[in-house]
């Protein structure tokens, strides 16, 4: 059974740092790109960052570029999001998400669709 | 950035109704579009990818169509479990943008 367990959220002051983790199981982790997606309270979904299966290429939303770093440890089947210089507008439920395994004709040049999500971990940035 | 616009924002319908949600992209995204369902307090769930391919395990009353800039998600006969918020997302280019969501409510 595929599982993604998000953790590491909490209350942090503006300007502070936090590291989120996403523990994966039930599939071959390094065969899949992974993303972080967030949802501010009462709002829609916002893509944050994506990292390829080998960990070599990362993309970021402009709103977090230079402040957040996505990484993965394939030996531990874990995805991370290091967040620094946090702002009140970063307050959200953060989901990790697995992408479908790459398959010719089913994925664009920018990658594949997300197909499975963790339960989310809440980050609150407030003084 | 590619802007994704969903309509309507809210939809009131009854069990058994046929429901259609539209998603428009600000530029062509070929067929690189996914649809997700989200219930309150839960993670989203993939319904459709590559505009029209039904994800495994998703009921056949859900269908997707379109290409280029205009896409639709159709629920052929709305069931009680389908009252939720639906999002489209393009994966043609980064940043991977979502539509603002369509909330399907009980009429």
């Amino acid at each position: 059974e595929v599982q993604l367990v998000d953790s590491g959220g909490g209350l942090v002051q503006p300007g502070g740092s936090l590291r989120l983790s996403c523990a994966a199981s039930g599939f071959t982790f390094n065969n899949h790109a992974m993303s972080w997606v967030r949802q501010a309270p009462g709002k829609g979904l916002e893509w944050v960052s994506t990292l390829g299966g080998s960990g070599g290429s990362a993309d970021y939303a402009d709103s977090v570029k230079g402040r957040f770093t996505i990484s993965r440890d394939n030996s531990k089947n874990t995805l991370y999001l290091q967040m620094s210089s946090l702002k009140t507008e970063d307050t959200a439920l953060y989901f990790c998400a697995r992408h479908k395994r790459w398959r010719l004709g089913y994925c664009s040049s920018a990658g594949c669709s997300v197909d499975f999500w963790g339960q989310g971990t809440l980050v609150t940035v407030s003084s | 950035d590619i802007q994704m616009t969903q309509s309507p924002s809210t939809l009131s319908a009854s069990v058994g109704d046929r429901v259609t949600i539209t998603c428009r992209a600000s530029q062509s995204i070929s067929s690189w579009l996914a649809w997700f369902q989200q219930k309150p307090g839960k993670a989203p769930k993939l319904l459709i990818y590559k505009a029209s391919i039904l994800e495994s395990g998703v009921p056949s009353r859900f269908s997707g169509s379109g290409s280029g800039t205009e896409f639709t998600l159709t629920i052929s006969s709305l069931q009680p479990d389908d009252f939720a918020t639906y999002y489209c997302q393009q994966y043609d280019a980064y940043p991977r943008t979502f539509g603002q969501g369509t909330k399907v409510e009980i009429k």
Side-chain angles (χ1 to χ4, degrees):
Chain A
E1 180 193 5
V2 172
Q3 285 196 40
L4 297 172
V5 179
D6 301 322
S7 62
L11 174 63
V12 60
Q13 291 188 337
S17 298
L18 208 57
R19 188 178 83 157
L20 306 183
S21 299
C22 169
S25 60
F27 63 99
T28 304
F29 185 61
N30 61 8
N31 282 344
H32 296 263
M34 299 291 294
S35 285
W36 288 98
V37 176
R38 68 186 181 184
Q39 187 168 37
K43 303 296 184 183
L45 300 170
E46 180 189 13
W47 170 79
V48 172
S49 182
T50 298
L51 184 62
S54 62
S57 62
D59 289 276
Y60 297 93
D62 285 346
S63 58
V64 307
K65 202 172 291 183
R67 300 187 299 121
F68 289 11
T69 302
I70 190 172
S71 63
R72 62 194 295 162
D73 185 337
N74 287 343
S75 69
K76 295 181 178 179
N77 290 348
T78 302
L79 178 74
Y80 302 100
L81 186 68
Q82 179 68 48
M83 306 185 294
S84 60
S85 302
L86 282 161
K87 307 175 181 180
T88 55
E89 53 264 41
D90 294 319
T91 293
L93 185 61
Y94 284 74
F95 297 99
C96 75
R98 184 187 79 166
H99 292 247
K100 285 187 172 293
R101 191 172 178 180
W102 194 87
R103 195 171 150 201
L104 184 65
Y106 288 81
C107 300
S108 76
S109 57
C112 313
S113 172
V114 162
D115 69 349
F116 195 80
W117 301 64
Q119 85 287 357
T121 186
L122 181 62
V123 173
T124 303
V125 184
S126 174
S127 53
Chain B
D1 297 1
I2 300 172
Q3 308 302 318
M4 306 301 293
T5 304
Q6 284 181 236
S7 60
S9 296
T10 307
L11 188 160
S12 296
S14 302
V15 172
D17 285 353
R18 181 181 181 87
V19 165
T20 299
I21 299 168
T22 297
C23 179
R24 289 186 173 87
S26 60
Q27 64 190 69
S28 178
I29 57 169
S30 185
S31 295
W32 307 120
L33 184 94
W35 288 98
F36 299 94
Q37 176 194 66
Q38 188 181 32
K39 296 181 180 178
K42 300 292 186 182
K45 173 187 172 184
L46 175 66
L47 300 175
I48 302 279
Y49 64 99
K50 204 184 176 186
S52 62
I53 300 176
L54 193 68
E55 174 70 348
S56 176
V58 173
S60 59
R61 62 181 180 272
F62 291 93
S63 63
S65 64
S67 66
T69 61
E70 187 149 341
F71 303 86
T72 58
L73 173 70
T74 300
I75 309 172
S76 61
S77 178
L78 198 65
Q79 298 302 301
D81 191 49
D82 301 338
F83 291 97
T85 301
Y86 294 83
Y87 295 92
C88 61
Q89 186 199 24
Q90 64 82 17
Y91 54 103
D92 182 65
Y94 287 100
R96 292 194 174 206
T97 40
F98 288 91
Q100 80 279 13
T102 296
K103 186 175 183 179
V104 177
E105 297 181 328
I106 301 173
K107 192 172 184 179

